[in-house]
């Protein structure tokens, strides 16, 4: 599907659910995609991208940022604590603040720099043992901890369990954000971004629907 078609579907979902036009930002998830596909989307004028890996981003985006102005790259994958510093150099936002050790490290680095990217706390709404994210029951205390360290948190992020109806997860994330006074909601992927918009998503993360299937390997 083309970028224009995805954008049209986003605008239609906003209209259908009483959302302001343009109130949902489209993060084009370019991880492991061939460079020519990424360049094609940049040439169409899109400027907001998502990546999962620090190393891949370091190899790809400095050059693309030099070629195209106004690019923003958001980290949406798990972040190792020992790569936090490099991540702050590479990314305009981090959607995967998912544990106290990472929050502590980011808070220290942000204090040193005096600037911070946008931060989203990842919530494990399905309480899946193999999945990253703060458990719903621990979230309010986690956000309080971040705020006490002056780590600015703008929103929440989730990845609902595969094969389940995502709606209850999106609704839960929206309720947790509202209760904590957070305006950002990073939720919805290729298969469910319209449902996420219905529940108030401010950032949808769409990869394969824009770029085609990813081939790892
Ligand atoms: C890869 C990825 C996406 C994009 O997934 P698609 O199904 O290709 O749209 C979105 N969010 C996260 C966290 C991802 O890792």
């Amino acid at each position: 599907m083309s970028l224009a078609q995805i954008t049209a579907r986003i605008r239609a979902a906003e209209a259908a659910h009483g959302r302001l036009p343009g109130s949902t930002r489209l993060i084009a998830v370019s991880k492991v995609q061939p460079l020519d596909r990424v360049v094609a989307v940049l040439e169409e004028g899109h400027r907001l991208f998502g990546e999962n890996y620090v190393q891949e981003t370091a190899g790809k985006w400095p050059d693309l940022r030099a070629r195209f102005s106004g690019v923003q790259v958001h980290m949406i994958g798990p972040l190792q604590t020992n790569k936090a510093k490099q991540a702050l150099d590479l990314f305009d936002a981090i959607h995967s603040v998912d544990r106290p050790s990472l929050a502590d490290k980011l808070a220290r680095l942000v204090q040193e720099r005096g600037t911070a990217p946008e931060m989203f706390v990842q919530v494990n709404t399905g309480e899946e043992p193999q999945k990253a994210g703060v458990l719903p029951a621990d979230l309010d205390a986690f956000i309080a901890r971040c705020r006490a360290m002056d780590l600015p948190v703008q929103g929440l992020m989730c990845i609902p369990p595969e094969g389940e109806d995502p709606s209850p997860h999106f609704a839960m994330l929206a309720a947790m954000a509202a209760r904590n006074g957070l305006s950002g909601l990073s939720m919805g992927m290729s298969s469910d971004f319209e449902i996420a918009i219905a529940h108030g998503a401010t950032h949808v993360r769409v990869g394969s629907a824009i770029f085609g299937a990813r081939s790892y390997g």
Side-chain angles (χ1 to χ4, degrees):
M1 203 169 284
S2 71
L3 178 69
Q5 284 170 307
I6 297 292
T7 304
R9 283 173 57 186
I10 289 172
R11 294 292 96 85
E14 287 171 343
H17 299 287
R19 302 275 315 272
L20 287 173
S23 56
T24 315
R25 297 187 72 197
L26 170 60
I27 300 174
V29 178
S30 48
K31 64 170 175 237
V32 309
Q33 293 288 352
L35 195 61
D36 59 332
R37 290 193 199 161
V38 181
V39 168
V41 169
L42 280 158
E43 282 172 346
E44 283 183 76
H46 195 72
R47 289 295 180 267
L48 177 56
F49 293 83
E51 290 283 350
N52 287 58
Y53 311 105
V54 168
Q55 236 48 266
E56 183 184 354
T57 305
K60 182 157 92 183
W61 283 101
D63 174 55
L64 291 172
R65 282 187 195 268
R67 286 168 65 190
F68 297 90
S69 64
V71 166
Q72 287 198 8
V73 186
H74 288 196
M75 174 59 162
I76 62 169
L79 179 56
Q80 289 171 251
T81 307
N82 64 9
K83 297 212 171 120
K85 191 168 199 282
Q86 202 183 355
L88 291 179
D89 289 333
L90 288 167
F91 294 103
D92 302 285
I94 297 173
H95 292 237
S96 46
V97 181
D98 61 1
R99 59 194 192 281
S101 60
L102 178 61
D104 294 359
K105 182 72 180 282
L106 287 169
R108 271 203 304 281
L109 293 168
V110 160
Q111 291 312 310
E112 280 169 28
R113 295 175 170 237
T115 62
E118 271 190 278
M119 306 268 187
F120 292 75
V121 173
Q122 183 173 350
V123 184
N124 187 354
T125 57
E127 306 190 25
E128 297 171 276
Q130 82 287 5
K131 201 168 267 178
V134 178
L135 292 171
D138 299 334
L139 180 68
D140 295 2
F142 184 81
I143 290 170
R145 179 195 181 105
C146 292
R147 287 178 169 154
M149 297 186 294
D150 284 331
L151 186 70
V153 175
Q154 276 84 16
L156 303 179
M157 180 270 227
C158 76
I159 308 169
E162 243 179 85
E164 258 183 49
D165 175 6
S167 295
H169 297 275
F170 295 155
M172 184 198 289
L173 200 73
M176 292 186 295
R179 156 179 112 208
N180 282 284
L182 298 171
S183 57
L185 280 173
S186 169
M187 56 189 197
M189 307 179 18
S190 289
S191 58
D192 56 18
F193 65 88
E194 284 138 321
I195 303 168
I197 290 168
H199 288 281
T202 58
H203 296 69
V204 292
R205 311 178 308 266
V206 181
S208 44
I210 296 172
F211 294 105
R214 287 179 287 275
S215 62
Y216 293 85

